[in-house]
Amino acid sequence: MFDQSEIQRWRVQAQARGIDLSRLPRHIAIIMDGNGRWAQARGLPRLIGHVNGHRTVRRMVYGCAELGIETLSLYTFSTENWRRPVHEVHGLMEMLARSAREELPVMARNGVRIVFSGRLHELSPELQAILQRAQQLTAHNRRITLHLAINYGGRAEIVDAVRALARKVQQGELQPEAIDEATIQAHLYQPDLPDPDLLIRTAGEQRVSNFLLWQTAYTELYITPVLWPDFEMEHLLDAIADYQ
C-alpha cells in the first residue's frame, strides 16, 4: 500500500484540479492499452511491456482504494487477444497465473474483493482454479471490488445471456414477453456490479473495443494518449476531473 504522505499528496493534487472528493465515480472501467507499443519504443519484447503494465495495475488498484472508488474494472484479456502470437499469449497466461498467486495475499489483507468476467471455462484448468480461489478468499472484502475481464468480449457476454434466457424459455421457465432490460442484466457475468460511471482508455485509440458493451451505454468516456505502463495516479486524477 501507499504511505500517508503520498496519499495526502494525491488529495492535494485532486483539490488543485478542482475535484470534489465527495462526488467521485463509484465505478471506473479501464481499457489498458499500449503495453506492446511501450516495449517496442524501447526496443524490448512486447511481454516486458505487459510486465510493466502489471505494475500500473497494482498502482491503480490501491490508488483507487485509497481515494474511495468502489469498483475498478480492468480489460485484462479479450476474446480477440487469442489471435496474438502464440508465445505472447502463453506469456500473458503465465503472467496472469503468477500475478494472481503473488498478489492475492496482499489484496486479501487490504480489503480488495476480486471478481471475474468472461468465458472462464475456456481457460486452462490450472488458471481456472487460481481465479476461483482468488474469488473465494476475497469474497467478504468490501474496501474495493476489482473486476477483471479475462477471455472477455462484450458481444460474447450478451450472446451468453441470450443463450441462458433461451434455455429458460425452452424449458418453460420464462415467457418471452417477460424478458426486459432487467432480465438481461440479471444474466450478465457480474449482474450485481453497478454500471461504470467512467471508462478510461489509454494509448489514444478512440473505440471501446468490445468492452462492457451493455454496461457502458451511458458511461462517460475519457481517452488519453498516455501508454498504460506510464499511466500514473496523476493521470487518473485528470480523468476524474474531466468526468466531474
Side-chain angles (χ1 to χ4, degrees):
M1 300 297 284
F2 301 101
D3 60 46
Q4 291 302 310
S5 62
E6 192 167 13
I7 296 167
Q8 183 59 33
R9 180 170 62 86
W10 294 343
R11 294 186 179 278
V12 170
Q13 290 184 1
Q15 291 170 348
R17 288 168 168 80
I19 293 174
D20 182 351
L21 294 176
S22 69
R23 293 193 305 111
L24 294 172
R26 291 181 62 201
H27 183 176
I28 295 177
I30 304 180
I31 299 174
M32 307 177 291
D33 199 9
N35 290 333
R37 275 171 278 176
W38 184 93
Q40 288 174 336
R42 291 160 175 78
L44 300 170
R46 287 175 59 87
L47 278 173
I48 299 300
H50 294 298
V51 170
N52 281 272
H54 171 68
R55 293 170 183 160
T56 304
V57 168
R58 187 185 299 120
R59 287 198 300 271
M60 290 304 109
V61 173
Y62 296 129
C64 284
E66 296 291 358
L67 285 175
I69 306 299
E70 295 178 20
T71 302
L72 176 64
S73 289
L74 301 177
Y75 204 2
T76 307
F77 189 91
S78 75
T79 51
E80 290 79 18
N81 285 158
W82 294 108
R83 302 171 189 166
R84 294 185 177 188
V86 173
H87 73 277
E88 184 176 351
V89 171
H90 181 70
L92 284 169
M93 290 295 111
E94 283 192 338
M95 191 173 69
L96 276 172
R98 184 174 63 255
S99 297
R101 285 193 296 263
E102 293 175 356
E103 297 287 346
L104 179 57
V106 180
M107 290 194 176
R109 287 197 305 270
N110 286 284
V112 179
R113 180 172 76 108
I114 306 173
V115 298
F116 301 95
S117 284
R119 291 178 170 173
L120 304 181
H121 64 279
E122 296 178 350
L123 302 174
S124 70
E126 177 193 7
L127 184 53
Q128 288 184 55
I130 292 170
L131 301 185
Q132 184 178 26
R133 182 169 181 267
Q135 286 194 147
Q136 291 172 341
L137 288 181
T138 64
H140 299 294
N141 288 345
R142 291 294 179 267
R143 189 176 189 193
I144 186 172
T145 295
L146 174 60
H147 172 219
L148 301 178
I150 301 177
N151 195 25
Y152 175 89
R155 289 181 176 180
E157 179 174 25
I158 294 170
V159 167
D160 288 348
V162 170
R163 285 175 176 169
L165 290 169
R167 284 192 291 269
K168 289 187 175 181
V169 170
Q170 187 179 47
Q171 294 165 4
E173 300 174 11
L174 182 67
Q175 292 300 312
E177 297 77 14
I179 298 174
D180 56 14
E181 289 187 13
T183 313
I184 295 173
Q185 171 73 26
H187 289 78
L188 298 177
Y189 295 141
Q190 292 293 338
D192 295 330
L193 293 183
D195 290 343
D197 303 294
L198 172 62
L199 172 62
I200 300 170
R201 178 160 191 157
T202 59
E205 301 294 344
Q206 299 191 39
R207 57 177 182 267
V208 296
S209 294
N210 202 20
F211 186 41
L212 300 177
L213 297 181
W214 179 275
Q215 298 89 334
T216 57
Y218 296 100
T219 298
E220 297 289 333
L221 305 180
Y222 181 83
I223 312 295
T224 175
V226 177
L227 302 179
W228 179 244
D230 293 327
F231 194 80
E232 300 283 351
M233 282 300 297
E234 289 78 6
H235 301 119
L236 179 68
L237 293 175
D238 287 339
I240 293 173
D242 184 81
Y243 161 81
Q244 289 192 349

